[in-house]
Amino acid sequence: MLGRVARRIWAVAMRDRYGANERSQKLKYHVQTSGRSLHAQEIQFNDIRTTLQALIAIYDNCNSLHTNAFDEAITTPTEDSVRRAMAIQLIINREWGLAKNENPNQGAFIIDELTEIVEEAVLAEFEKIAERGGVLGAMETGYQRGKIQEESMHYEMLKHTGEYPIVGVNTFRNPHGDPTVDTLELARSTDDEKHSQLKRLAEFQALHAAESPAMLRRLQDAVIANANVFEVLMDAVRCCSLGQITNALFEVGGQYRRSM
């Protein structure tokens, strides 16, 4: 649903606002299943939620898809949980027949109606952001952050009152109590892994010490000249670390500090 809306808005904006050609009007997008839908209670149920979300994303013709591991509710995914998350996509793609048919829901009344409703809501939100001076202007007043906090608070309220039913969390709860998850493997980096990463970083920076300063200056010049920064970034990552790039951008653009 959101993909349909995004593609429609993208195509119209690229055509009417920027005069883009037909190829540029075709939006490619990535979907990640909802992290907010992952719960520590009845944690195995998360795979069911992710499967349905993945199916919807594929029906919406997303170009790439990430399926969350069920244990991301409490820790970094394990090898086993990642394999299960990948299996969701494999089963949908290889076993589920309707996924082989492009855009199977096209023309359905509920899909078309919801697309219209969501598109109208998104465009209304665009207008509110534009009235506040665009994305940067709205950030200065904390508009986006406030909207996210309001939505999160509303979601939590509905979850706690039971108005938004979540199986195994606030409805149809396990009559034997919530199973403990203290036996679940928690992914943590060892000291050796941390030192190994620091060592590789130092070696990378030393290897490119001669060329990185010029590349960082080129990146800063692109920012100041309002040029294509992404194009320069593609070259910069070959010889500059993320920290070096970030610090270079801070020097010319400043560091964002939200208003309290």
Side-chain angles (χ1 to χ4, degrees):
M1 176 56 57
L2 293 179
R4 294 170 187 271
V5 173
R7 281 198 170 107
R8 183 184 293 185
I9 292 176
W10 174 272
V12 172
M14 294 299 290
R15 182 193 66 198
D16 296 347
R17 187 176 182 87
Y18 300 103
N21 60 30
E22 182 180 346
R23 186 168 183 268
S24 299
Q25 295 170 27
K26 296 177 180 179
L27 174 67
K28 293 183 177 180
Y29 71 94
H30 170 81
V31 168
Q32 176 164 345
T33 54
S34 172
R36 191 172 72 173
S37 71
L38 303 178
H39 301 280
Q41 302 98 321
E42 300 278 12
I43 196 169
Q44 304 287 350
F45 290 0
N46 289 335
D47 273 342
I48 302 171
R49 299 182 176 103
T50 296
T51 299
L52 295 173
Q53 293 162 11
L55 191 61
I56 292 172
I58 291 174
Y59 280 178
D60 224 12
N61 295 311
C62 66
N63 298 96
S64 64
L65 172 66
H66 171 91
T67 37
N68 286 330
F70 74 94
D71 52 357
E72 287 187 60
I74 59 175
T75 185
T76 303
T78 63
E79 182 177 352
D80 177 62
S81 66
V82 169
R83 179 171 171 76
R84 290 175 56 164
M86 178 58 69
I88 291 172
Q89 296 196 39
L90 291 174
I91 291 170
I92 291 174
N93 281 326
R94 303 298 178 89
E95 299 181 19
W96 187 248
L98 284 179
K100 301 178 187 297
N101 179 42
E102 185 174 336
N103 216 357
N105 293 324
Q106 182 66 38
F109 170 77
I110 184 63
I111 298 298
D112 289 345
E113 182 71 10
L114 286 175
T115 300
E116 296 286 348
I117 293 173
V118 174
E119 181 185 22
E120 182 179 351
V122 171
L123 293 176
E125 195 61 43
F126 282 178
E127 290 294 331
K128 293 177 183 177
I129 291 176
E131 291 170 359
R132 290 163 172 78
V135 172
L136 294 179
M139 284 177 63
E140 292 299 324
T141 61
Y143 177 75
Q144 295 97 321
R145 184 180 181 86
K147 293 289 287 186
I148 293 171
Q149 289 175 334
E150 288 174 11
E151 173 63 21
S152 297
M153 186 176 297
H154 180 63
Y155 171 77
E156 290 298 322
M157 181 192 71
L158 295 179
K159 185 172 72 172
H160 287 295
T161 61
E163 294 176 73
Y164 181 68
I166 303 174
V167 176
V169 177
N170 60 14
T171 187
F172 296 103
R173 298 186 60 178
N174 192 329
H176 306 295
D178 292 331
T180 59
V181 293
D182 55 352
T183 57
L184 190 68
E185 178 185 349
L186 300 180
R188 296 290 184 268
S189 298
T190 65
D191 286 338
D192 288 342
E193 290 171 335
K194 294 175 183 177
H195 290 307
S196 174
Q197 177 61 28
L198 292 172
K199 180 174 179 292
R200 290 199 301 272
L201 175 62
E203 291 173 348
F204 176 83
Q205 291 177 340
L207 179 65
H208 300 287
E211 53 185 320
S212 60
M215 179 57 71
L216 292 172
R217 284 194 296 272
R218 179 185 161 199
L219 177 62
Q220 291 176 325
D221 290 343
V223 173
I224 294 172
N226 199 28
N228 188 342
V229 178
F230 186 79
E231 181 181 8
V232 183
L233 277 174
M234 293 297 289
D235 294 330
V237 294
R238 300 178 185 275
C239 60
C240 306
S241 68
L242 177 60
Q244 290 173 319
I245 292 172
T246 302
N247 288 331
L249 295 177
F250 281 159
E251 289 177 5
V252 295
Q255 188 170 358
Y256 174 72
R257 291 286 186 271
R258 66 184 178 90
S259 302
M260 297 297 292

